[in-house]
Amino acid sequence: MAASSEISDGDNAVELIVCDVPAFSSAGSNGDAASDAADSLSEEIAPLLKQPAEKPKINIFSVSYSRRKARDHVIKVPESEAQVSQLILWLWGGSRYSGMLCVALSSSIYFSMEVVSDVFAAQSIPLFETAFARCTILLVLSYLWLRRTGQPIFGPPLARKLLILRALMGYLSLLSFIYCVQRLPLPQAIVLSFTTPIMASIAARIAFLEKLKIADIAGLACNFFGVLFIFRQSFTAQGLAGELVKAGSANAANLKGMHYVYAILAGLFSSVTGGISYCLIKAGSKACDQPVTTVFSFGILASPAALVCMFIFEEFVLPELRSLFLMLLLGGLAFLAEVFLARGLQLEQTSKAANFQYVEAAFTELWGIASSTIVPSFGGLIGCLLILASVGCTIYIGPDKDIE
């Protein structure tokens, strides 16, 4: 027997049909069949008994959701920028060769400064005025860097003596180098300045007890002989006569007698103080854990000192707009070069790091040959080959990490 009933709710109608369960005479095996039949019927009826859910009430305060999935607002960095940032991070400290690469990059930046100065020639600016502008840009950029990264401006208290000595030695080296450049032919002054890596290696051996291996000594000697081959023309009688003509009658007297000796001594003093400054940069960078702090300490002393020397020893020349732009550009490049140099000295052994500074001389010679400003010579090519071979051997031998 079956009974039916209809349940109506608005537009929805549900018909319920109930069937009687037939009686079974046997309670044994037939009992199980009856229970199975009842279960199957209840499973068929249960979905029909479920009432439709009430429609959600919507008012002006309810939040409406779109059926489409909301797109995630992800800021996509261009692939080229991501690759450049990864390369910079790898150069900064992501490789065991980072110390060497940072110093090589610093020398390459100094070489690019020479190229920019040659290509975009501007009015002649006195040396102390140029030094003041460059040191001021170093001071401003390093200050902004430290403020942006949240580092202490003057470094931790334990490192401040090192930073003061670094600034003092660095400015003495700069001051004596300017004196040397003003009184010696430029190639000779450059050769004297390239003794700085040798002085730095000797100072690091005394101060930090760094090991000077035979390969390191041979590399430095090979590089310095390469510099001598490149600038050998300025040390011959013919080359010295040409430099006398370039210098003019006013500066020609400085190349004779005791003036010449004083200029050479000033160049050697610049190299010695520069080598000590390299060791202080290394110690200060490790103590501060931030190489930019050493750049800021140098700028905060060198900028006002160069300003005083500019007004005492030279006449101020108002730069033109082109010269001003060039000074700003060269100051920014000098800041990057100093930062990478400090980072390289922080990571690498001093003798190996200093070995890469001779790359600048080789690049300058090759650029002069390529731009037809220098006549190709056998000695110049031999010097470039010696420098590049020494640098290649240093990379092949590999870096020696300092054990703190």
Side-chain angles (χ1 to χ4, degrees):
M1 179 179 179
S4 64
S5 62
E6 184 175 352
I7 301 173
S8 177
D9 184 11
D11 296 335
N12 299 324
V14 179
E15 185 178 0
L16 177 63
I17 302 174
V18 181
C19 298
D20 292 337
V21 180
F24 297 91
S25 58
S26 175
S29 61
N30 294 334
D32 297 335
S35 63
D36 294 336
D39 292 336
S40 63
L41 287 174
S42 63
E43 290 176 1
E44 294 176 359
I45 295 171
L48 300 176
L49 293 177
K50 293 181 180 179
Q51 299 296 329
E54 294 183 0
K55 296 179 181 180
K57 297 179 179 180
I58 301 176
N59 52 38
I60 60 173
F61 300 104
S62 61
V63 181
S64 60
Y65 298 94
S66 175
R67 294 182 180 179
R68 297 181 180 179
K69 294 182 179 180
R71 296 180 180 178
D72 297 333
H73 296 283
V74 179
I75 300 175
K76 294 183 178 180
V77 180
E79 187 176 355
S80 59
E81 294 183 6
Q83 291 177 354
V84 170
S85 61
Q86 289 178 359
L87 177 62
I88 293 175
L89 291 175
W90 181 75
L91 285 173
W92 190 257
S95 170
R96 61 190 294 259
Y97 293 93
S98 293
M100 296 181 179
L101 293 175
C102 284
V103 181
L105 183 58
S106 173
S107 299
S108 301
I109 294 174
Y110 277 123
F111 159 70
S112 67
M113 292 171 62
E114 296 182 13
V115 174
V116 170
S117 300
D118 292 339
V119 173
F120 303 99
Q123 69 181 121
S124 179
I125 303 295
L127 289 177
F128 278 110
E129 187 174 346
T130 303
F132 166 70
R134 196 164 296 179
C135 293
T136 303
I137 294 173
L138 289 179
L139 177 63
V140 173
L141 293 180
S142 58
Y143 174 79
L144 294 177
W145 181 305
L146 293 174
R147 291 288 293 178
R148 182 69 180 272
T149 56
Q151 298 289 334
I153 301 298
F154 299 101
L158 296 177
R160 287 175 185 172
K161 291 183 179 180
L162 292 173
L163 296 176
I164 293 172
L165 289 175
R166 180 268 180 273
L168 181 61
M169 289 297 170
Y171 184 71
L172 288 177
S173 177
L174 176 64
L175 185 65
S176 53
F177 178 71
I178 291 176
Y179 178 86
C180 178
V181 168
Q182 289 176 338
R183 286 160 176 79
L184 281 182
L186 184 59
Q188 296 184 12
I190 292 175
V191 170
L192 288 174
S193 70
F194 274 111
T195 59
T196 302
I198 299 175
M199 300 298 179
S201 301
I202 297 173
R205 178 72 180 99
I206 297 172
F208 305 135
L209 300 179
E210 287 186 356
K211 294 181 179 179
L212 271 177
K213 298 180 181 178
I214 297 178
D216 299 332
I217 299 174
L220 289 170
C222 186
N223 281 326
F224 188 71
F225 278 115
V227 172
L228 290 179
F229 272 107
I230 291 174
F231 295 101
R232 83 192 190 286
Q233 187 68 25
S234 62
F235 292 96
T236 61
Q238 226 176 8
L240 188 59
E243 294 297 335
L244 284 171
V245 173
K246 290 181 182 179
S249 59
N251 294 327
N254 295 328
L255 299 177
K256 300 178 181 179
M258 294 302 296
H259 294 285
Y260 188 73
V261 176
Y262 292 153
I264 291 179
L265 291 177
L268 292 175
F269 180 76
S270 175
S271 299
V272 172
T273 52
I276 297 174
S277 178
Y278 279 15
C279 296
L280 293 170
I281 290 173
K282 183 182 185 70
S285 298
K286 287 189 173 183
C288 299
D289 199 24
Q290 177 57 263
V292 184
T293 310
T294 61
V295 181
F296 176 78
S297 65
F298 171 73
I300 202 172
L301 174 65
S303 180
L307 179 64
V308 173
C309 293
M310 179 183 69
F311 285 109
I312 292 176
F313 300 108
E314 295 174 345
E315 293 183 1
F316 177 75
V317 176
L318 183 64
E320 300 173 353
L321 184 60
R322 179 187 178 91
S323 300
L324 182 62
F325 175 76
L326 187 62
M327 291 168 69
L328 292 175
L329 177 60
L330 293 177
L333 291 175
F335 170 73
L336 294 177
E338 288 293 326
V339 170
F340 280 110
L341 175 61
R343 179 61 175 172
L345 291 172
Q346 181 187 15
L347 295 176
E348 190 53 67
Q349 183 179 345
T350 306
S351 59
K352 290 184 178 294
N355 211 355
F356 283 81
Q357 287 198 294
Y358 292 95
V359 173
E360 180 185 354
F363 286 169
T364 303
E365 180 70 14
L366 294 176
W367 165 256
I369 294 173
S371 60
S372 301
T373 56
I374 297 177
V375 179
S377 62
F378 180 75
L381 295 177
I382 290 296
C384 294
L385 183 62
L386 285 174
I387 293 174
L388 295 178
S390 175
V391 170
C393 290
T394 304
I395 295 175
Y396 178 77
I397 294 172
D400 291 336
K401 295 295 182 181
D402 293 336
I403 302 175
E404 297 183 6

